[in-house]
Amino acid sequence: SSSASSASSDAAWTVEEVAQTTLEAESLARLLSLCCVSPKLAMLAEDNARIGLESPVVEAGTTTLMVRNVANRVRQAELLATLGQLGLVGCVDFLYLPVDFRRGTNLGYFFVNFTSVAACEEFAVAVHGRKLASGPSKKTLQVAASRLQGLATLVENFRAAPVMEGSVPSEFKPLVLDCSGSPLPQAWA
């Protein structure tokens, strides 16, 4: 009988316990949304505001961006390295830079999905109107919300695309990334 009463008291939550759990969940959600906000991106965004660069219009809730005006010589590996330099390792779970196989250059745009809305917004404000690569290109990045939103939608869309065929080198395929920024090829299975 005493074990039955202790089992029921274990299952019953007090108002204080429910309130504490709710606060912990809200704090965790807030912490997770902020963990991908990079100090380097924040500095770039402040610099953009100071020099009068216009901020992109990105709808609320956006996590996937299409970034245009990428210098054609940039490779996907360079984009990954740049995202790492911006402090976004673990904040990006999808990256795809389409390539013109005949010319061996990218098509001038890429798709990137962020693990949080906050990281997406921060990135958009920080890079919009800036150059991505050093060198002779004068192209400035233009950031907009992608028509396709979210990792699951992107994977579903690209899973059957011709770029995913076995004959296409892996360096040209879309990447699903883990929290350390490493590719997850099993995501396409």
Side-chain angles (χ1 to χ4, degrees), residues 2-47:
S2 69
S3 66
S5 94
S6 79
S8 67
S9 68
D10 287 347
W13 288 43
T14 66
V15 172
E16 292 81 18
E17 290 171 324
V18 170
Q20 182 61 36
T21 303
T22 303
L23 287 174
E24 288 171 2
E26 288 172 0
S27 296
L28 180 60
R30 197 170 328 114
L31 178 63
L32 288 173
S33 73
L34 295 175
C35 73
C36 285
V37 177
S38 160
K40 190 158 192 166
L41 283 182
M43 285 183 2
L44 286 172
E46 287 173 13
D47 194 38

Side-chain angles (χ1 to χ4, degrees), residues 169-182:
S170 61
E171 68 192 84
F172 301 131
K173 294 181 178 186
L175 297 174
V176 174
L177 305 165
D178 68 13
C179 61
S180 69
S182 299

Side-chain angles (χ1 to χ4, degrees), residues 118-181:
C120 182
E121 290 171 353
E122 192 85 17
F123 176 84
V125 169
V127 304
H128 186 77
R130 291 192 170 265
K131 283 175 49 174
L132 178 67
S134 58
S137 177
K138 295 190 185 317
K139 292 182 175 183
T140 58
L141 300 177
Q142 299 298 308
V143 177
S146 172
R147 182 178 54 80
L148 301 173
Q149 285 293 311
L151 179 61
T153 303
L154 291 163
V155 169
E156 187 60 33
N157 182 71
F158 286 103
R159 179 175 275 134
V163 73
M164 296 307 292
E165 293 176 8
S167 62
V168 176
S170 61
E171 68 192 84
F172 301 131
K173 294 181 178 186
L175 297 174
V176 174
L177 305 165
D178 68 13
C179 61
S180 69

Side-chain angles (χ1 to χ4, degrees), residues 94-117:
F94 181 91
L95 179 66
Y96 178 47
L97 176 70
V99 172
D100 178 339
F101 297 110
R102 288 185 302 225
R103 289 194 233 165
T105 60
N106 75 59
L107 297 179
Y109 63 93
F110 68 91
F111 297 97
V112 60
N113 187 67
F114 294 87
T115 57
S116 75
V117 171

